[in-house]
Amino acid sequence: MMTMLATISKEQRRENILLSLKKLGFLSRSQLQKLHRLGGTRNANRILKDLSDYLNVVRLNENIYYLNAEGRQRVGANKVLKKTNQIIHHLMRNSVYISYGCPITWKNEMKLIVKDEITIIADAIFNVANTYHIIEVDHLQKMSVNKEKIRKYKRLIDLGVFEKPPKLIWVTSTHYRKKQLIELSEGLQVIVYLHDDFK
């Protein structure tokens, strides 16, 4: 009986890891450790090696995992991911997801359209107590693009699109860019993190 329970638990953990990759795209070994309580590095590596039939792996500072064709088929994922410079973008966004306690209402790549006047794609959005939290990742992006996004968010607030003013959460890579984003976001509820804050 005990062996059967252990097997079910192991199988459920495997399924949960694959479902996390379906939802979040790319996850580092350390992110998977946090999300699924995989214990130490050695144990996490063993568990992820057991899933190698379903995973692609790329090495950055640590192993980064994403679903291969078999993994996508097993969990019904349609989106095919490839090794690109977007990996770090995903990891930065996923750091926010994990640090905010994996919000149930979290949605990636949300398109906001208002009367054909404004279209903006947020990197992610989640809602807590009727307050939207909008996540934006600043990685390899021109500051002029960030400036335009912030202008659009201010316009959405002016148009009364949100019941309560949203919280804008940025993740960036340098102190200089953090300072620029804070200045550009004046008048908004904003938090700017460095990616290193989550390590």
Side-chain angles (χ1 to χ4, degrees):
M1 183 68 171
M2 203 60 162
T3 312
M4 191 173 163
L5 285 174
T7 307
I8 292 167
S9 170
K10 182 180 174 183
E11 232 4 82
Q12 188 59 59
R13 180 177 60 202
R14 288 164 59 96
E15 195 74 11
N16 289 343
I17 290 168
L18 296 174
L19 289 169
S20 289
L21 288 161
K22 175 184 177 180
K23 178 181 177 104
L24 300 170
F26 296 93
L27 285 162
S28 68
R29 187 240 331 125
S30 59
Q31 287 177 332
L32 284 162
Q33 275 176 276
K34 288 176 192 167
L35 275 171
H36 297 285
R37 298 181 181 147
L38 302 183
T41 301
R42 199 164 145 190
N43 191 54
N45 286 338
R46 182 186 57 74
I47 291 165
L48 293 166
K49 191 170 192 286
D50 284 347
L51 280 166
S52 60
D53 289 347
Y54 304 106
L55 302 176
N56 286 325
V57 184
V58 62
R59 180 86 186 164
L60 293 179
N61 293 332
E62 60 181 317
N63 282 349
I64 311 300
Y65 297 89
Y66 60 107
L67 297 174
N68 63 18
E70 280 193 51
R72 289 192 307 273
Q73 185 177 5
R74 177 164 170 174
V75 292
N78 298 320
K79 191 171 184 180
V80 178
L81 296 174
K82 297 198 188 292
K83 181 182 164 186
T84 68
N85 61 0
Q86 286 295 304
I87 291 174
I88 294 173
H89 181 98
H90 277 78
L91 297 177
M92 290 170 77
R93 179 178 64 202
N94 294 340
S95 291
V96 178
Y97 173 77
I98 294 165
S99 83
Y100 275 80
C102 310
I104 294 168
T105 56
W106 182 279
K107 294 203 179 353
N108 288 332
E109 306 297 330
M110 282 297 295
K111 186 182 273 192
L112 305 171
I113 303 171
V114 179
K115 301 175 188 168
D116 297 329
E117 180 187 338
I118 300 171
T119 302
I120 188 167
I121 299 173
D123 287 320
I125 289 180
F126 68 96
N127 192 334
V128 176
N130 293 328
T131 300
Y132 282 98
H133 295 64
I134 300 168
I135 290 54
E136 287 295 345
V137 176
D138 170 46
H139 176 65
L140 302 178
Q141 194 160 263
K142 290 183 178 170
M143 197 51 74
S144 59
V145 174
N146 294 333
K147 185 177 182 178
E148 178 59 15
K149 271 196 158 181
I150 290 167
R151 185 194 68 74
K152 287 182 176 182
Y153 285 126
K154 286 180 177 178
R155 184 74 184 122
L156 290 177
I157 292 166
D158 290 345
L159 289 170
V161 169
F162 303 100
E163 193 176 312
K164 293 181 186 173
K167 291 185 179 175
L168 190 55
I169 301 166
W170 284 91
V171 189
T172 190
S173 49
T174 68
H175 287 283
Y176 178 68
R177 292 182 76 83
K178 177 178 180 175
K179 185 173 179 273
Q180 285 182 298
L181 288 166
I182 290 169
E183 287 170 3
L184 288 171
S185 302
E186 189 180 344
L188 296 175
Q189 290 186 56
V190 67
I191 302 169
V192 184
Y193 294 105
L194 292 174
H195 188 216
D196 286 348
D197 292 340
F198 300 106
K199 292 180 181 173

